[in-house]
Amino acid sequence: MESLVLSLNVVLPLLFLILVGQGVRRLKLCDERALKQMNQLVFKLFLPCTLFNNILSTDLKTVLQPQLLIYAAVCVLAACAAGWLIMPRITSDPRKQGVMIMNTYRSNAVLFGMPIVQLIYGDSQLGVMSMLIAVIVPLFNILSVIVLESFRGGKARISKLIEGIVTNPLIIASALGLLCLFSGVHLWKPVASVIGDMGKVSTPLALIILGAGFQPERVAENKKELLASVSARLVWTPLAALGIAVLLGIRGVALVSLLAIFASPNAVSSYSMAEGMGSDSELASQGLLLSTVFCIPTIFLWIFCFSQCGLI
């Protein structure tokens, strides 16, 4: 019963916030243009504040786990390689192939990962997740540029790789947080308070925006491609990454942080990246919407199983 209650306590707040977003859409409180603008505000301002604040408040002695960071990075690379081998066999369209490969390894770790760890372990344990994000988010972006460039007939130019890294707000926030953390810099209290308050806004607002952007009528096409990429994102990738992690003895907040990375839905930024790089942005949008909806039961099952087995 405790495992069931824990799972519901983690998953239901995410679902309710998404439903609030659907209510916003049905009541026509925001149009598409406003939603896009708010989404930009969240991912360029509020979420970076969350990352920066979490890293800055991290106790390095307890969260700096090189082996965990290496394991997560290796799993991302392995998932990308598996997608590269399998997805081109499912469709012959290179623009779809690139998106499907990206969906195999790239998750919405920041948006869905933070609240999962926060709800289970509280704010004091977000440091492990923040450190993982500081490594995984840059890797996501580098691989995505390589994949999408390769599957639209182009070449992954070094200049584009560098530009994608240095201009990503989440990467910038992570780098600034690590710089302040290692240098021992203490922010002026009013500034730190503002950053903390802005960070608290990010998760609920982003989930509401996701809910408001969900359009079921747009997922009728691409059934084969969606089945392959969504199942890879929510079932096969987490099954491999988390199964091996359990066998290696990873437990507690470290295991939940890995769950947050590998069992989360597609990254919201996948759509804008696919659109900007000439890939199938419609497929990216549909994959984002479906994985966001179906991650609710899959994340619930992961948390329930881990709790029942005493792993978290």
Side-chain angles (χ1 to χ4, degrees), residues 6-266:
L6 174 61
S7 304
L8 290 174
N9 286 340
V10 171
V11 171
L12 287 182
L14 307 180
L15 177 60
F16 290 157
L17 284 169
I18 291 174
L19 291 177
V20 168
Q22 270 291 290
V24 169
R25 183 177 191 85
R26 301 296 179 185
L27 295 173
K28 298 181 179 180
L29 298 179
C30 288
D31 57 18
E32 293 295 331
R33 182 170 178 270
L35 286 174
K36 288 182 179 180
Q37 290 175 333
M38 287 193 294
N39 189 60
Q40 289 295 310
L41 186 64
V42 168
F43 285 93
K44 290 186 177 181
L45 184 59
F46 292 144
L47 277 176
C49 286
T50 301
L51 273 180
F52 177 84
N53 191 59
N54 289 336
I55 290 176
L56 196 60
S57 60
T58 294
D59 181 0
L60 286 176
K61 294 181 180 179
T62 60
V63 305
L64 191 56
Q65 304 178 35
Q67 292 180 335
L68 181 65
L69 298 177
I70 293 171
Y71 176 75
V74 169
C75 285
V76 171
L77 292 171
C80 179
W84 202 303
L85 291 173
I86 296 171
M87 296 307 175
R89 301 174 183 272
I90 297 173
T91 178
S92 59
D93 186 345
R95 295 173 67 250
K96 295 181 185 292
Q97 292 171 353
V99 171
M100 293 169 69
I101 295 169
M102 180 171 63
N103 289 346
T104 302
Y105 65 85
R106 185 171 189 167
S107 71
N108 212 345
V110 179
L111 176 56
F112 272 77
M114 287 294 186
I116 290 171
V117 178
Q118 187 177 34
L119 286 166
I120 296 177
Y121 289 104
D123 293 339
S124 62
Q125 296 297 317
L126 283 173
V128 174
M129 185 65 193
S130 297
M131 283 293 181
L132 278 172
I133 288 175
V135 172
I136 296 304
V137 168
L139 184 58
F140 280 165
N141 282 277
I142 292 170
L143 290 176
S144 296
V145 172
I146 294 173
V147 167
L148 295 183
E149 280 287 328
S150 299
F151 283 86
R152 70 168 184 173
K155 295 182 179 180
R157 295 190 294 272
I158 297 298
S159 59
K160 283 198 172 185
L161 291 178
I162 296 175
E163 181 183 356
I165 294 170
V166 301
T167 60
N168 188 293
L170 300 179
I171 296 176
I172 294 172
S174 299
L176 289 175
L178 290 170
L179 179 63
C180 292
L181 179 64
F182 285 110
S183 64
V185 172
H186 295 283
L187 297 179
W188 186 34
K189 191 172 182 179
V191 174
S193 178
V194 169
I195 293 176
D197 290 340
M198 291 173 66
K200 292 176 183 177
V201 174
S202 63
T203 296
L205 181 56
L207 286 169
I208 290 172
I209 293 170
L210 274 180
F214 181 64
Q215 302 178 57
E217 65 274 10
R218 296 178 59 185
V219 298
E221 302 177 357
N222 299 317
K223 293 180 181 179
K224 179 176 63 175
E225 292 83 358
L226 287 169
L227 178 61
S229 59
V230 173
S231 62
R233 172 88 300 277
L234 299 181
V235 179
W236 307 120
T237 297
L239 184 63
L242 298 176
I244 296 173
V246 170
L247 294 177
L248 292 175
I250 297 175
R251 302 288 187 272
V253 66
L255 182 60
V256 173
S257 296
L258 290 176
L259 183 152
I261 289 174
F262 292 106
S264 295
N266 297 346

